[in-house]
Amino acid sequence: MIEERFDAIVVGAGMAGNAAALTMAKKGMKVLQLERGEYAGSKNVQGAILYADMLEKLIPEFREDAPLERHLVEQRFWIMDDRSHVGLHYRSEDFNEERANRYTIIRAQFDRWFSSKVREAGATVLCETTVTDLAQDAYGRVIGVRTDRQDGEIRADIVVLAEGVNGLLGTRAHLRERPKPNKVALAVKEMHFLPRETIEARFNLNGDEGVVIEAAGTISGGMTGMGFIYANKECISVGIGCLVADFHRTGKTPYELLDRFKRHPSVAPLIEGSEVKEYAAHLIPEGGYKAIPQLYGDGWVVVGDAAQLNNAMHREGSNLAMTSGRIAAEAIFQVKSRRLAMTKENLALYKRMLDRSFVLKDMKKYKDMPRLMHTNSQNFFLTYPQLISKAMQTYLRVDGTPKTEKQKSTLKSFVNARSWIGLFGDAFRFARAWR
Amino acid sequence: MKIDRSVRVEDKLFCNRYLVDAGRPHIKVRAHTRPSSQLLALLKACPARCYDLNDKGQVEVTVDGCMECGTCRVIGESTGDVEWSYPRGGYGVLFKFG
Ligand SMILES: Cc1cc2nc3c(=O)[nH]c(=O)nc-3n(C[C@H](O)[C@H](O)[C@H](O)COP(=O)(O)OP(=O)(O)OC[C@H]3O[C@@H](n4cnc5c(N)ncnc54)[C@H](O)[C@@H]3O)c2cc1C
Ligand code: SF4
């Protein structure tokens, strides 16, 4: 048993945990951080896009030594059917700026670097340590943690739960529900290695410029899900994720889905001849605003994916994790510096601060989206992509058919598939959820 | 139940790094004579294909290739079919890239 007493224990050394531990350690608090992996990052999976602004708030000079892959100059969005894709590209020279806005990263390397900053700030970081339970007193107040290392407890005034999407400890302590199949997506991902020049040629890049592709459509076979292709320096991340409930319902296998995505005629040429060096799987919280649990209580706060803070519409998670970790730490520090106890009442400050930040504002904006996408997955991920692709093809093929007839037949195919009421209903529901 | 064998998951897992905690599996399947629909779903939903049928028609789990994603927990824990924990600190999958 560690006899020392800590101001705070942080469970997990992912994006949220590192942000929280760093912020508290920098403010001079005595912080213990526990991570079950061999090193920070060895258990973590991401696409991965890093949003610079949220990291800059923690480590302003991060660009000097953080392991960054490529800064993004281009974003592509693909609506796919089985043989084609309709794409929206945005590329801008403005993104070739000194302090770039978004980068691709490799999580195992990035987290390790992030963790070194946490140590430098003075926190005690213990890896290879799985926290098995929260220690609670007779009144249910959280007073510390138990680990698989030594018997007995480690005590602290507050425990920051940054344990990621599975959130085992929070569930075991009855602080929140376990993730539900219709509120989490399972993503599988491979790392495809190719020579730098090949990647740059295939993606139309100069030097450290980067591109990401997000893809939706028949690739998910009618399930609620998305695929992604992100260019790193010497490898390409290729992955796809769908709701666990949909995998359960359809009996589709995640690896077959990934392989079908890789074989798609729009994807295959990008990764042709590559060497796959890793296959990874991870859950993503997709329940949105309505799935956010109680965020604080006596002796604890929850941050990041464990708190379901993930914006599935914009594929943002790590930045919400970093921001919630930082804000929780700032709230804790405020409570501490006022010499108040870490009670539920006092820690409500964390929620009030989070409410004012982009984190909960963004989450709230899309509160109806997860349900809409889930209950209409066949339309949004199968019917519409097929219709759109057919419309494009009809429009582009020059075959002597008058344009008016082409337009009519396209419109007819939409109405046949979804009916006028269906079309208006979908558009209305989508617009309302987007608003 | 037909399981898709066209993609060789073993080959995929082969490139991953693992430190297996021999004799201490972190996931357990409740003893059963006939598998529940949840257990049968895991034969397909697990991305590492850790779940398989034995010759008695029961679902078994072998955690050696497990990537600790939690999918089987989300599907099978609430019904009591699956007992799920993380491996001991340091053990299990070790992502080089993640
Ligand atoms: C395939 C995929 C692609 C994604 N792409 C993007 C993207 O491009 N951009 C983006 O912003 N977000 C993306 N996300 C989301 C992003 O990865 C998460 O939102 C983010 O990692 C959440 O950070 P976190 O710290 O809350 O959790 P995690 O990063 O998961 O960290 C949790 C940590 O806690 C540790 N831990 C858990 N339980 C215990 C325990 N009991 N004891 C000790 N340690 C424990 C874990 O080992 C881990 O290190 C993606 C996610 C996935 C799966
Ligand atoms: S945690 Fe994921 S990889 Fe491991 S057995 Fe369960 S479903 Fe399979």
Side-chain angles (χ1 to χ4, degrees):
Chain A
M1 160 151 184
I2 300 183
E3 295 291 350
E4 280 177 80
R5 199 191 152 83
F6 293 88
D7 291 332
I9 292 173
V10 178
V11 181
M15 292 291 193
N18 283 337
L22 178 76
T23 306
M24 290 189 289
K26 268 190 179 167
K27 291 181 185 294
M29 288 177 64
K30 197 164 164 200
V31 179
L32 173 68
Q33 189 184 32
L34 301 165
E35 165 58 48
R36 62 190 193 88
E38 184 188 36
Y39 55 87
S42 62
K43 299 290 184 185
N44 300 343
V45 180
Q46 195 180 321
I49 305 173
L50 172 81
Y51 302 93
D53 179 74
M54 290 78 199
L55 179 59
E56 226 167 5
K57 291 207 163 60
L58 294 157
I59 307 172
E61 68 291 358
F62 79 88
R63 290 180 183 83
E64 282 167 21
D65 59 350
L68 305 169
E69 291 288 312
R70 293 176 178 278
H71 66 275
L72 299 182
V73 297
E74 184 174 331
Q75 167 94 44
R76 302 183 192 168
F77 183 76
W78 287 359
I79 299 168
M80 304 176 85
D81 77 350
D82 292 343
R83 298 169 59 79
S84 51
H85 76 263
V86 181
L88 177 78
H89 290 202
Y90 184 70
R91 185 179 176 112
S92 175
E93 186 54 29
D94 292 348
F95 287 133
N96 270 321
E97 56 205 332
E98 186 121 330
R99 303 161 79 79
N101 181 255
R102 298 182 303 160
Y103 296 88
T104 50
I105 54 164
I106 292 172
R107 269 299 289 274
Q109 296 166 5
F110 180 85
D111 286 14
R112 211 172 189 165
W113 166 86
F114 202 171
S115 178
S116 74
K117 298 290 167 186
V118 176
R119 280 175 215 261
E120 278 169 32
T124 307
V125 183
L126 267 186
C127 289
E128 302 190 296
T129 310
T130 302
V131 179
T132 50
D133 278 300
L134 293 177
Q136 285 164 294
D137 68 9
Y139 304 98
R141 290 185 288 234
V142 172
I143 51 171
V145 299
R146 279 184 283 272
T147 76
D148 63 351
R149 255 194 196 219
Q150 55 279 310
D151 31 29
E153 295 160 9
I154 316 174
R155 296 258 174 124
D157 294 339
I158 180 131
V159 176
V160 178
L161 289 163
E163 48 177 337
V165 57
N166 275 309
L168 221 50
L169 300 174
T171 329
R172 279 185 189 162
H174 305 291
L175 304 179
R176 73 184 103 94
E177 296 178 349
R178 76 170 64 84
K180 291 210 170 60
N182 61 350
K183 302 232 160 68
V184 283
L186 165 65
V188 284
K189 176 194 159 189
E190 283 177 358
M191 280 300 217
H192 287 254
F193 279 75
L194 281 164
R196 238 194 117 113
E197 312 77 65
T198 312
I199 293 178
E200 280 153 23
R202 285 184 189 176
F203 285 87
N204 189 19
L205 301 169
N206 277 316
D208 284 346
E209 289 177 346
V211 170
V212 290
I213 305 173
E214 315 284 357
T218 63
I219 47 161
S220 64
M223 301 192 278
T224 308
M226 285 224 331
F228 61 89
I229 305 164
Y230 296 169
N232 300 313
K233 272 189 183 132
E234 286 167 347
C235 60
I236 303 168
S237 310
V238 183
I240 187 161
C242 296
L243 281 183
V244 169
D246 283 356
F247 277 118
H248 189 170
R249 178 174 58 83
T250 60
K252 290 192 193 302
T253 62
Y255 29 88
E256 169 56 21
L257 206 67
L258 178 59
D259 273 50
R260 231 171 50 120
F261 183 47
K262 281 160 46 186
R263 287 196 308 267
H264 190 284
S266 300
V267 180
L270 292 173
I271 53 173
E272 200 198 307
S274 65
E275 187 194 349
V276 180
K277 292 202 184 167
E278 192 165 85
Y279 169 60
H282 205 278
L283 295 180
I284 308 177
E286 301 261 336
Y289 188 73
K290 290 178 179 164
I292 299 174
Q294 173 67 31
L295 292 172
Y296 57 92
D298 288 326
W300 62 275
V301 293
V302 57
V303 294
D305 275 10
Q308 301 278 320
L309 299 174
N310 208 298
N311 182 345
M313 286 311 294
H314 289 257
R315 312 207 102 226
E316 291 177 28
S318 67
N319 54 335
L320 277 63
M322 276 191 264
T323 306
S324 58
R326 174 177 60 78
I327 289 179
E330 282 165 0
I332 291 167
F333 181 71
Q334 280 195 35
V335 173
K336 187 183 151 63
S337 35
R338 288 180 204 150
R339 298 181 185 280
L340 296 172
M342 295 295 164
T343 58
K344 183 171 181 177
E345 210 178 19
N346 295 333
L347 290 166
L349 176 64
Y350 161 46
K351 173 73 170 27
R352 288 201 299 276
M353 287 165 71
L354 207 59
D355 272 329
R356 271 183 263 133
S357 73
F358 81 96
V359 175
L360 288 184
K361 285 186 182 152
D362 280 3
M363 296 287 296
K364 202 167 184 176
K365 173 168 161 56
Y366 298 116
K367 64 184 188 321
D368 296 321
M369 227 15 138
R371 218 182 87 88
L372 176 68
M373 286 294 154
H374 190 201
T375 48
N376 290 276
S377 62
Q378 292 282 330
N379 297 333
F380 286 123
F381 297 95
L382 216 53
T383 312
Y384 283 126
Q386 281 166 342
L387 289 170
I388 290 168
S389 166
K390 190 157 164 257
M392 281 308 284
Q393 194 161 130
T394 309
Y395 177 72
L396 292 171
R397 247 186 224 287
V398 177
D399 55 5
T401 315
K403 301 290 184 256
T404 329
E405 267 174 47
K406 285 193 170 193
Q407 276 172 6
K408 269 193 192 145
S409 88
T410 294
L411 188 62
K412 217 169 122 202
S413 66
F414 272 75
V415 178
N416 280 349
R418 285 293 294 139
S419 85
W420 279 111
I421 296 178
L423 287 173
F424 279 119
D426 290 344
F428 179 70
R429 280 190 293 267
F430 188 81
R432 199 173 50 181
W434 186 267
R435 195 175 43 152
Chain B
M1 172 147 239
K2 237 184 97 240
I3 303 173
D4 192 346
R5 305 278 179 189
S6 62
V7 181
R8 284 182 51 87
V9 186
E10 304 76 38
D11 293 347
K12 287 182 187 289
L13 299 174
F14 192 69
C15 57
N16 291 356
R17 252 181 86 214
Y18 292 96
L19 191 61
V20 176
D21 199 356
R24 296 179 71 148
H26 58 282
I27 302 170
K28 293 193 183 89
V29 169
R30 174 167 66 181
H32 57 277
T33 35
R34 276 192 50 212
S36 64
S37 64
Q38 279 76 15
L39 280 178
L40 288 174
L42 297 181
L43 300 176
K44 293 188 157 195
C46 170
R49 234 185 50 214
C50 292
Y51 290 83
D52 223 333
L53 284 175
N54 65 18
D55 23 335
K56 293 197 208 106
Q58 295 151 344
V59 173
E60 284 181 346
V61 62
T62 313
V63 299
D64 294 8
C66 173
M67 294 178 280
E68 301 157 30
C69 66
T71 303
C72 58
R73 171 188 179 225
V74 172
I75 294 176
E77 197 185 51
S78 60
T79 54
D81 284 305
V82 169
E83 203 185 299
W84 203 89
S85 286
Y86 284 123
R88 275 197 293 165
Y91 287 94
V93 71
L94 295 160
F95 291 123
K96 290 167 288 191
F97 309 106

